[in-house]
Amino acid sequence: MTVKELVQVLDAKVYNLDDEMREVTSGYAGDFLSAVMGKAPTDSAWFTIMNNVNVCAVATLAEVAVVVLCEGVEPDEPLLNKVKMQGVNLIAVKEDIFGAVKKVCHLI
Amino acid sequence: MDTYRYDIHIHSAVSPCADNDMTPVTIVGTAMLSGLDFVAIADHNSIEHVPVALAAGKAYGIKVVPAIELQTREDIHIVCLFEKYEDLVAFTEKIPFSTRPNEEEFFGEQLIFDEDDEVIGKVERMLLDSADISSDDVPQLIKEFNGVAIPAHIDREGKSMLSILGTITEGYPVVEFSTRAKPEMIEEWSKTHGVIIDSDAHTLASISTRGQIELEEYTVKCFLDHLRG
């Protein structure tokens, strides 16, 4: 599915969409950026509650298709500025990680 | 220049995870007997025992560094050191600590002791909870109060900035290793950062004399200036 379709299914709030037609081919859930860096698959949707500017760097490095902030976490200003600058797709949902993944896992 | 021994990351009984015989006077006394020149009680999100520790330091002839171990929004532990107790107090007044109550049957007691090792109260809020401040904002804030912020035990998995963020962010010229860190790792990081080694002791037996520092004067100010680089 595309990032755009993911946004629709999750009913997510969009903070930055640079490439909404990007294909999401897998997923990853986790908050330890050191783990995400090495393990999140390329073109995955990354579900996290981590709100820190380094989320953007890790998303770029791991080449994830979209960052999904869960549990109503809103990106702080440095993170929001950085994803806009770096062209990283960032969306947010109210559900916790389990709930969000449940909504989309059969589609990815 | 003389060499001084330090352990500036020790938990007292107010930290729910520390032994209840870790009273401030016992810690400072044990530190002095162990041959330490500098000691700090750095409790989780709490400074309750610092005044008693400072008084004990004066009585025993050992320098006590006013400190706290802050847990940020990202669950990162940062040891914050100050020259003066008043600066530590003013700094903590700016930190939005969690108000969630402690559940001592699960996490442990958060007892406050006086100079005679008598229990005089307990902290009600949960000290193991994160404060609502980003680790990125700590260096700027601590500067206002002449403090030094040091990412704690970066060699460990849990609560370490290196594990959680995957890097040591800007504004942290000094990093802390636990006594269990591999020598190669300490050596590697000392190429780019100031490095300190502390015990993160939760029991009296764990207090360490491994940390050594060369200073021109035996003062807390000189110690902190050295860390600032």
Side-chain angles (χ1 to χ4, degrees):
Chain A
M1 70 191 308
T2 62
V3 174
K4 188 180 178 183
E5 288 164 335
L6 188 85
V7 170
Q8 285 162 354
V9 176
L10 286 173
D11 192 20
K13 181 169 180 185
V14 171
Y15 283 99
N16 192 53
L17 270 193
D18 241 49
D19 181 7
E20 60 179 18
M21 297 316 285
R22 186 161 171 182
E23 209 46 47
V24 180
T25 57
S26 68
Y28 186 83
D31 306 312
F32 269 35
L33 301 190
S34 58
V36 179
M37 235 186 290
K39 291 177 185 160
T42 303
D43 295 325
S44 59
W46 167 27
F47 297 81
T48 185
I49 57 164
M50 174 58 80
N51 175 15
N52 183 280
V53 67
N54 282 47
V55 163
C56 181
V58 170
T60 310
L61 202 71
E63 297 179 62
V64 303
V66 57
V67 179
V68 186
L69 286 182
C70 300
E71 289 190 26
V73 171
E74 294 173 13
D76 62 10
E77 213 183 308
L79 176 58
L80 191 56
N81 291 341
K82 198 75 183 277
V83 293
K84 285 181 177 164
M85 214 162 67
Q86 303 264 326
V88 168
N89 292 329
L90 178 81
I91 63 177
V93 296
K94 291 269 174 262
E95 289 90 349
D96 61 18
I97 293 178
F98 183 75
V101 169
K102 222 166 54 167
K103 271 179 154 178
V104 296
C105 61
H106 59 289
L107 301 168
I108 297 176
Chain B
M1 289 279 242
D2 284 311
T3 302
Y4 297 95
R5 291 185 183 276
Y6 65 83
D7 189 352
I8 47 167
H9 186 170
I10 298 173
H11 289 273
S12 76
V14 77
S15 289
C17 39
D19 277 5
N20 279 346
D21 60 3
M22 294 290 268
T23 70
V25 170
T26 306
I27 290 170
V28 175
T30 306
M32 187 266 291
L33 292 173
S34 310
L36 288 173
D37 302 298
F38 291 94
V39 66
I41 291 178
D43 281 312
H44 296 294
N45 292 340
S46 162
I47 60 168
E48 300 290 340
H49 279 152
V50 176
V52 177
L54 284 166
K58 272 197 183 138
Y60 293 146
I62 171 174
K63 301 284 183 209
V64 173
V65 187
I68 185 168
E69 184 177 30
L70 181 63
Q71 182 172 316
T72 69
R73 188 195 293 155
E74 302 92 348
D75 272 12
I76 292 169
H77 283 183
I78 298 175
V79 174
C80 301
L81 305 169
F82 299 83
E83 202 182 316
K84 294 179 189 147
Y85 175 63
E86 297 73 40
D87 289 334
L88 169 66
V89 173
F91 172 77
T92 53
E93 279 169 0
K94 297 271 183 183
I95 305 288
F97 291 114
S98 163
T99 53
R100 196 197 320 250
N102 183 31
E103 298 198 35
E104 56 184 38
E105 62 273 31
F106 297 115
F107 298 109
E109 295 176 301
Q110 301 182 156
L111 300 178
I112 305 168
F113 289 84
D114 66 7
E115 63 277 16
D116 298 317
D117 285 354
E118 300 288 342
V119 175
I120 53 166
K122 60 182 175 182
V123 176
E124 299 292 344
R125 68 190 165 85
M126 174 67 210
L127 296 179
L128 297 181
D129 225 349
S130 295
D132 191 15
I133 179 169
S134 168
S135 64
D136 292 336
D137 295 332
V138 175
Q140 188 62 35
L141 180 65
I142 205 165
K143 240 184 210 171
E144 290 175 34
F145 303 99
N146 285 317
V148 178
I150 303 172
H153 41 67
I154 67 161
D155 53 299
R156 296 215 310 242
E157 270 290 295
K159 318 286 185 186
S160 131
M161 181 184 282
L162 193 56
S163 302
I164 295 172
L165 296 185
T167 185
I168 300 300
T169 52
E170 272 179 48
Y172 293 102
V174 184
V175 292
E176 183 200 57
F177 288 93
S178 76
T179 45
R180 272 173 266 162
K182 289 193 178 130
E184 311 87 86
M185 188 184 187
I186 298 175
E187 202 189 316
E188 193 56 35
W189 278 89
S190 59
K191 290 175 189 164
T192 53
H193 288 70
V195 158
I196 59 168
I197 302 170
D198 292 314
S199 67
D200 190 11
H202 288 66
T203 62
L204 279 176
S206 316
I207 292 175
S208 151
T209 54
R210 234 183 103 187
Q212 290 190 33
I213 193 166
E214 282 195 359
L215 300 175
E216 291 192 351
E217 283 172 43
Y218 181 41
T219 61
V220 173
K221 181 178 186 306
C222 197
F223 186 91
L224 295 191
D225 283 345
H226 185 90
L227 294 180
R228 283 188 198 103

